[in-house]
Amino acid sequence: MAKRLIINCDDFGQSPAMNRAIMHLLEEGKVSSATIMAVAPGFEEAADWAARRQQPNVGLHLTLTSEFDALRWSSLTGHPSLHDAEGKQYRTVREFELGAETGAVVKEIDAQYERVKLAGIRISHVDNHMGSLYGMETGRSLLPQTFWKISRWGLPSRFFRYIHPDDPLLRSLSGIERPVAKAAALADTFGVPIPDYLLSHPFGLVEGETYDSFKRSIIAKLYALPEGVSETYIHPGAEDAWMLANIPQWEKRVWEFRLPFDDDFAYGLKDAGVELTHYGYVHEHLRRPRFRSAFRLIRELTRK
């Protein structure tokens, strides 16, 4: 099997700095896709650009949390269980998992999808801001409701089938293998295509990290990339005064904007035999038979 990599830009629509970076990366074909935040203040700018260009690789970034002090937003539906005392979406995934009512979450997911669709965007796939629907903090997963919605929309989704043994985030979560196997079988049963692997890297700055050390770490991952289709995500931002003043560890966002244009990164992709791909490939080639998947799901649910 070939080694294929999806590079997705999360947080499209978050702010002008993010929008400028992501638009430039998409225009130059340096990344596979981006996912847009229907609730964020930069949504209209991002959506107008994507609709005008009929951009084929913009997905939906389901957003149920609002983590930055200087950049808070509310849900589209306004349900009180989706908000903190300030009337904004929760700052943390844990607060969201503990406070949000399931029915309200489902209605909000629908509302975000409809807003992006009505903006004229050809939605390519669906993912989730901060993994708030995965149940990683308290075990309260909303993936069954989410996959059901995505199946009705006929789209692929960012989840993953396997855990890469060297992934720093996923390998740090105790007992994750079985929940991942259940969720993957559930996605297959609903007919939602997913990639094989999700590859993480630290969101913020690591102590002593520089652009060059960050670049070396990402290029090293290219040579260790497993066969199949992997997705990794970046949060690129164009350096501007507002971002520097308001977004913690903004340097990492500037680095992630710079990296796809770096000749060393381009050489690494080629030398490691990695093919840049997109969610259209996932949609076409990674759908599993639903009947057989249902039996696998039953086995996973009943396994002791």
Side-chain angles (χ1 to χ4, degrees):
M1 292 176 63
K3 297 192 293 184
R4 294 182 169 89
L5 178 65
I6 296 168
I7 303 176
N8 188 78
C9 297
D10 286 6
D11 296 0
F12 195 24
Q14 184 221 67
S15 64
M18 298 290 287
N19 286 349
R20 286 199 300 276
I22 293 172
M23 290 172 188
H24 190 31
L25 287 165
L26 290 173
E27 286 173 342
E28 296 297 323
K30 296 296 185 180
V31 295
S32 305
S33 55
T35 36
I36 195 166
M37 310 174 87
V39 297
F43 170 77
E44 290 187 359
E45 178 190 41
D48 288 347
W49 177 87
R52 185 173 63 253
R53 288 171 54 90
Q54 284 296 284
Q55 192 71 29
N57 51 352
V58 173
L60 170 62
H61 199 50
L62 292 172
T63 304
L64 287 308
T65 49
S66 177
E67 69 271 32
F68 294 118
D69 290 339
L71 193 66
R72 305 295 312 283
W73 47 72
S74 304
S75 68
L76 297 181
T77 56
H79 194 278
S81 79
L82 302 179
H83 298 150
D84 61 16
E86 299 174 32
K88 305 297 183 183
Q89 287 188 338
Y90 297 108
R91 293 174 186 269
T92 67
V93 171
R94 183 175 183 83
E95 289 175 292
F96 166 77
E97 289 183 16
L98 291 173
E101 295 179 10
T102 299
V105 174
V106 172
K107 289 180 180 178
E108 179 66 20
I109 287 172
D110 266 332
Q112 293 186 20
Y113 171 77
E114 290 298 332
R115 188 179 192 202
V116 173
K117 186 178 177 183
L118 289 172
I121 294 173
R122 297 158 51 191
I123 301 172
S124 60
H125 65 291
V126 181
D127 61 23
N128 174 215
H129 186 55
M130 295 177 67
S132 58
L133 298 167
Y134 292 2
M136 293 189 297
E137 292 291 332
T138 68
R140 183 196 172 197
S141 171
L142 293 169
L143 281 173
Q145 294 85 352
T146 305
F147 283 149
W148 172 252
K149 285 295 179 183
I150 296 171
S151 73
R152 299 302 90 194
W153 303 334
L155 295 171
S157 175
R158 171 200 287 162
F159 196 71
F160 49 97
R161 192 170 303 285
Y162 312 112
I163 300 171
H164 192 280
D166 298 326
D167 188 90
L169 171 61
L170 298 177
R171 273 297 170 198
S172 71
L173 302 175
S174 178
I176 191 176
E177 289 83 0
R178 189 163 182 202
V180 166
K182 289 180 183 178
L186 183 66
D188 293 339
T189 301
F190 283 156
V192 177
I194 58 174
D196 296 307
Y197 295 92
L198 178 64
L199 304 180
S200 68
H201 58 272
F203 179 78
L205 290 170
V206 177
E207 185 177 357
E209 191 175 29
T210 64
Y211 172 72
D212 284 336
S213 66
F214 164 71
K215 178 175 71 173
R216 287 195 300 270
S217 71
I218 297 298
I219 291 175
K221 290 178 185 293
L222 299 179
Y223 287 91
L225 200 71
E227 292 182 343
V229 179
S230 302
E231 192 218 290
T232 195
Y233 46 82
I234 57 175
H235 301 85
E239 187 170 345
D240 71 2
W242 184 90
M243 187 171 73
L244 270 59
N246 293 287
I247 301 299
Q249 301 184 327
W250 56 266
E251 298 95 332
K252 198 66 167 284
R253 296 187 174 236
V254 173
W255 294 350
E256 291 186 351
F257 179 31
R258 177 180 171 185
L259 180 68
F261 291 101
D262 195 303
D263 288 342
D264 290 340
F265 180 73
Y267 176 82
L269 278 171
K270 183 176 181 180
D271 190 55
V274 176
E275 177 185 342
L276 203 61
T277 192
H278 48 76
Y279 271 95
Y281 182 91
V282 174
H283 188 266
E284 185 174 351
H285 296 284
L286 297 190
R287 191 184 306 274
R288 296 289 182 94
R290 298 181 67 174
F291 189 72
R292 191 183 311 161
S293 299
F295 278 103
R296 193 172 81 254
L297 176 60
I298 292 169
R299 287 200 306 271
E300 290 295 339
L301 291 174
T302 57
R303 184 162 60 90
K304 296 180 180 180

